[in-house]
Amino acid sequence: MNASVQPRPWALSLLTAALLAACGGGVDEPEKDDKHDSVTIATAGRLALAEQGSKTLRLHDLDSATAAVEASYTLEHEPAALYTSPRGRYALVVQRMQDQVQILDGGIWQEDHGDHLHDYKQGSRALAWKITGPRPTHYDVQAGKQAAFFMDGNATASPVQNAGVRLFTEASIAAGALVASTDLAAPIHGLGEPVDDKLLLVSRAADAPDTLPTHLNLHLRNGSGYSLVRQVATRCNGMHGSFSSGAYTVAGCLDGMLLVQHTGTTTVDDGRKLSTPLRVGTIAGHPRLPGQFIGIATEGAAPAPVTTRFYAVDGERARVSDFVPEGWSTGRVRRAHGFDRSGQRFFVLDDQGSLVVSERRNGAWAPLARVSGAIPRMPTAAPWPVLVANGAVDELYLSDPVAKQLVVLDSKTGAVKARRDLGYVPTVITWLGINR
């Protein structure tokens, strides 16, 4: 990847020599005080945006009044997806059909120096190290700790390439190495949820009704690999989509959702089925909303009306209930969704360009706002708009492929704050920075 970087201030040039000494700088005087102050940089972070039909990836500086481009990179291949590393520093650029994930250092991060936290802001840069494996697809993150890519494998390759998991952390990315990995015995479209030293990894029974997984297996990390412990007993045909938060992991099934409780540092329960009338294929959750999830399902099939349906899941009570965003009616289809940084507000963009905002009140989801025309002209085909939250300030960003714009939203109200012209059709996007 090649970078073309615009001139900008060097964010750390005004730090005093004493502060530099406290954090490993080049001052020769001996330490006189073992207690050091935190170093906090007021930054909204950066936003990585890909361009349709292009290998170009741009990093927009959100501290700029116009979200100016901090740097542009020429990728090896057009990205299929963009994700953020567990602590927010790196952009993970998925090139699925080329069996790799390229990585960009967003240049904004925080280090724990023991007695204080130290923020940094520098120029972004491309890393030479990549995460590799056959068909990287599902991304599962334990926020602030670690993340895993599930590699689907490739049944058409010769020889066949089996599915697997690649586990990494912020520190391992910096070192150019995985923390751990494991491979399955066959290709499969699946998932691998990492929770501390545990990994809930898919398996498929011989009598599965389709090619998707039917069970989760508990594995424990053993050095740079994993050892199988046992299978979670509750079956989940057609497994697709998952999320972990608090003491729970949820996966979507043909007949609802599978709820697994983490009962100890090395143990989980046998799971239980949360039944729904529709197949759940997507699970939404947030690390600051432990044990609460939203299952997303599709009702109907063309040419009949197709409708997106939502289910609220309470893990602690093992309870699922219908969740209807304000004004959601038959025939409405979800085009984008996401939480704000607090996890207390949930946003859904429908196929008419309206943004529906729900808020947690008294342990349930309640209507907060409905913003008509958030996207004035909805695309008739992909790329669809993408919604991402800023982890440092109360903003969300919505890509508008038709208008070639970035829509800036107030995450507390859903109101449109700005529409910024990009000059290109945005596809996948992700936020980079320090979560507050």
Side-chain angles (χ1 to χ4, degrees), residues 33 58 90 124 183 211 233 300 422:
D33 188 354
R58 296 174 177 85
Y90 300 99
S124 62
D183 291 322
T211 60
L422 297 172

Side-chain angles (χ1 to χ4, degrees), residues 4 23 37 72 89 94 98 100 114 127 151 156 163 210 237 250 270 311 321 362 373 385 399 436:
S4 174
C23 299
D37 294 329
S72 294
R89 177 171 178 173
V94 180
Q98 291 77 33
Q100 66 177 24
L127 302 188
M151 310 288 176
T156 64
D210 51 34
N237 286 338
V250 174
D270 277 331
Y311 302 103
S321 57
N362 301 318
S399 60
R436 306 292 189 188

Side-chain angles (χ1 to χ4, degrees), residues 49 375-376 398-407 418-426:
L49 287 87
I375 297 293
L398 186 61
S399 60
D400 186 337
V402 174
K404 300 181 181 180
Q405 290 181 337
L406 180 69
V407 184
R419 297 182 187 271
R420 294 173 175 157
D421 292 330
L422 297 172
Y424 60 89
V425 176

Side-chain angles (χ1 to χ4, degrees), residues 11-27:
L12 298 180
S13 62
L14 299 182
L15 292 179
T16 64
L19 277 174
L20 286 171
C23 299
V27 176

Side-chain angles (χ1 to χ4, degrees), residues 201-403:
L201 184 58
V202 293
S203 67
R204 179 178 178 272
D207 62 344
D210 51 34
T211 60
L212 292 173
T214 58
H215 291 84
L216 288 176
N217 287 347
L218 172 64
H219 297 249
L220 289 179
R221 188 155 72 86
N222 182 9
S224 60
Y226 283 92
S227 299
L228 173 65
V229 177
R230 68 178 184 89
Q231 187 168 92
V232 175
T234 303
R235 184 162 173 151
C236 174
N237 286 338
M239 187 183 295
H240 191 276
S242 63
F243 199 88
S244 298
S245 76
Y248 301 92
T249 294
V250 174
C253 313
L254 282 177
D255 53 354
M257 288 163 276
L258 171 62
L259 174 69
V260 179
Q261 182 177 3
H262 295 265
T263 53
T265 56
T266 62
T267 58
V268 298
D269 69 4
D270 277 331
R272 63 184 70 187
K273 183 66 65 62
L274 304 178
S275 298
T276 62
L278 300 172
R279 177 191 183 229
V280 174
T282 299
I283 306 295
H286 194 280
R288 292 180 178 175
L289 197 63
Q292 302 293 322
F293 308 87
I294 295 175
I296 303 176
T298 300
E299 180 181 62
V306 176
T307 307
T308 302
R309 299 298 185 190
F310 304 87
Y311 302 103
V313 175
D314 185 325
E316 184 176 357
R317 293 173 176 80
R319 185 174 65 193
V320 60
S321 57
D322 291 341
F323 163 40
V324 183
E326 183 182 11
W328 201 266
S329 58
T330 298
R332 292 285 63 79
V333 175
R334 166 192 60 107
R335 290 300 182 210
H337 73 272
F339 292 88
D340 73 338
R341 65 175 174 143
S342 74
Q344 297 299 304
R345 285 170 284 275
F346 182 66
F347 298 74
V348 182
L349 180 75
D350 71 16
D351 56 315
Q352 294 184 330
S354 294
L355 187 69
V356 187
V357 189
S358 304
E359 184 177 52
R360 292 292 290 181
R361 294 183 205 148
N362 301 318
W365 292 106
L368 177 63
R370 184 178 180 87
V371 183
S372 298
I375 297 293
R377 288 181 57 205
M378 182 61 63
T380 57
W384 307 110
V386 177
L387 182 70
V388 298
N390 190 309
V393 298
D394 291 320
E395 286 186 348
L396 288 97
Y397 309 100
L398 186 61
S399 60
D400 186 337
V402 174

